[in-house]
């Protein structure tokens, strides 16, 4: 018969610093640097206006948001700007799609003197699909006083950015298009000049290359795939 043996082994607690191993050999392992934690507000909302009322445009702010499927991002943009009484020198929006209510919301910002200049980038697929209905409506309502530009390209980015009269640069980026999609969406809002400049630089190239409004009423063909990427990476 084999008897069960109970052996107690006392192992002292050890605090091993692998970056300084006193073993006589070089140690290639070092402690990783701790990344700087940027404070962020984490919000969950169903209603665009209620969310906008709880966000203030301040230097260095960041909000991480999860929103319900009935949340309309286009409504949020209007409410966010008007609630903060923000004067936007330039508002640039890149979205896969939008609807007539979104267009009317942008008209409110333009006629209400909240936005001096508006740039709208939409996917070429959406442009082609809506060129007989919503696209003429967009031109009719927004192309006023040479303050609006519409670009159509093979782009899937969903970014809204604007620079205020006071010099703040706001970027909103995430999964949401302007209209509701019946899906849970996420997006981040932050006042970040570096991020704004990065996104604006390549979006501005798209606008300049594939604008559909100019003095000659000439509409450039949108680029797809590799050609579009080559324009962006210049």
């Amino acid at each position: 018969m084999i008897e069960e043996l109970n052996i107690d082994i006392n192992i002292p607690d050890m605090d091993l610093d692998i970056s300084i191993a006193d073993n006589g050999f070089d140690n290639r392992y070092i402690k990783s640097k701790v990344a700087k934690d940027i404070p962020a507000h984490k919000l969950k909302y169903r209603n665009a206006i209620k969310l906008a009322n709880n966000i203030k445009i301040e230097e260095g702010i960041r909000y991480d948001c999860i929103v319900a499927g009935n949340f309309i991002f286009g409504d949020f943009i209007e409410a966010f700007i008007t609630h903060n009484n923000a004067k936007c020198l330039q508002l640039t929006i890149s979205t896969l799609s939008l609807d007539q209510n979104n267009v009317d919301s942008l008209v409110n910002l333009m006629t209400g003197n909240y936005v001096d200049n508006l740039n709208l980038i939409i996917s070429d697929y959406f442009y082609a699909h809506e060129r007989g209905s919503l696209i003429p409506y967009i031109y009719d309502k927004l192309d006023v006083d040479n303050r609006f530009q519409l670009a159509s390209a093979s782009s899937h980015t969903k970014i809204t950015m604007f620079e205020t009269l006071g010099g703040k640069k706001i970027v909103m980026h995430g999964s949401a298009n302007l209209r509701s999609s019946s899906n849970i969406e996420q997006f981040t809002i932050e006042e970040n000049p570096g991020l704004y400049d990065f996104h604006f630089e390549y979006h501005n190239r798209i606008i300049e290359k594939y604008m559909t409004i100019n003095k000659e009423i000439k509409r450039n063909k949108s680029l797809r795939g590799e050609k579009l990427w080559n324009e962006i990476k210049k």
Side-chain angles (χ1 to χ4, degrees):
M1 178 179 296
I2 300 176
E3 296 182 357
E4 181 179 353
L5 298 179
N6 294 319
I7 303 176
D8 294 328
I9 301 177
N10 294 323
I11 301 177
D13 294 334
M14 300 179 66
D15 184 10
L16 179 61
D17 185 349
I18 62 174
S19 65
I20 309 176
D22 187 16
N23 55 12
F25 297 95
D26 292 335
N27 194 323
R28 67 192 186 103
Y29 302 107
I30 61 176
K31 285 185 176 180
S32 61
K33 295 181 179 179
V34 179
K36 183 179 179 181
D37 184 27
I38 301 176
H41 305 272
K42 297 175 177 60
L43 304 174
K44 300 175 183 178
Y45 269 81
R46 289 181 177 272
N47 185 277
I49 296 177
K50 288 182 179 178
L51 174 59
N53 290 340
N54 282 278
I55 296 179
K56 293 183 178 180
I57 297 178
E58 297 175 343
E59 184 176 349
I61 59 99
R62 193 185 80 198
Y63 294 83
D64 297 322
C65 306
I66 300 292
V67 295
N70 59 347
F71 187 97
I72 302 174
F73 188 64
D75 287 355
F76 171 75
I77 295 172
E78 180 184 1
F80 180 56
I81 291 175
T82 56
H83 174 72
N84 282 276
N85 196 29
K87 174 68 171 182
C88 304
L89 300 178
Q90 186 158 231
L91 171 62
T92 300
I93 299 174
S94 178
T95 184
L96 187 70
S97 61
L98 68 162
D99 60 23
Q100 183 174 321
N101 290 330
N102 299 143
V103 177
D104 294 339
S105 180
L106 294 174
V107 171
N108 292 339
L109 291 174
M110 297 284 281
T111 58
N113 202 33
Y114 287 99
V115 175
D116 283 348
N117 295 282
L118 171 64
N119 299 314
L120 179 61
I121 303 171
I122 58 176
S123 70
D124 55 357
Y125 173 82
F126 182 79
Y127 183 94
H129 184 73
E130 295 286 343
R131 67 183 306 159
S133 53
L134 189 61
I135 299 303
Y137 186 82
I138 290 175
Y139 288 136
D140 180 57
K141 298 298 182 181
L142 293 175
D143 187 17
V144 178
D145 298 330
N146 204 29
R147 297 164 54 205
F148 172 68
Q149 185 58 261
L150 176 68
S152 168
S154 178
S155 175
H156 201 267
T157 59
K158 301 168 185 179
I159 299 175
T160 296
M161 50 193 140
F162 62 86
E163 181 177 2
T164 69
L165 184 62
K168 294 183 175 60
K169 295 183 175 182
I170 307 296
V171 180
M172 294 181 271
H173 52 97
S175 65
N177 289 303
L178 294 194
R179 61 186 181 183
S180 63
S181 64
S182 298
N183 296 307
I184 291 176
E185 305 280 5
Q186 56 77 218
F187 61 90
T188 295
I189 307 163
E190 51 187 311
E191 197 283 321
N192 188 326
L195 184 64
Y196 177 95
D197 293 343
F198 169 75
H199 285 303
F200 181 79
E201 191 272 337
Y202 70 84
H203 278 98
N204 195 47
R205 288 184 186 175
I206 295 175
I207 294 166
E208 291 178 350
K209 189 73 176 181
Y210 309 112
M211 61 184 179
T212 64
I213 304 172
N214 59 33
K215 293 180 180 179
E216 292 76 28
I217 318 299
K218 180 181 178 182
R219 297 178 183 176
N220 297 321
K221 292 182 179 179
S222 63
L223 284 187
R224 298 192 62 83
E226 189 66 23
K227 290 184 178 179
L228 177 63
W229 174 245
N230 287 335
E231 288 296 327
I232 292 176
K233 71 179 183 180
K234 285 181 179 179

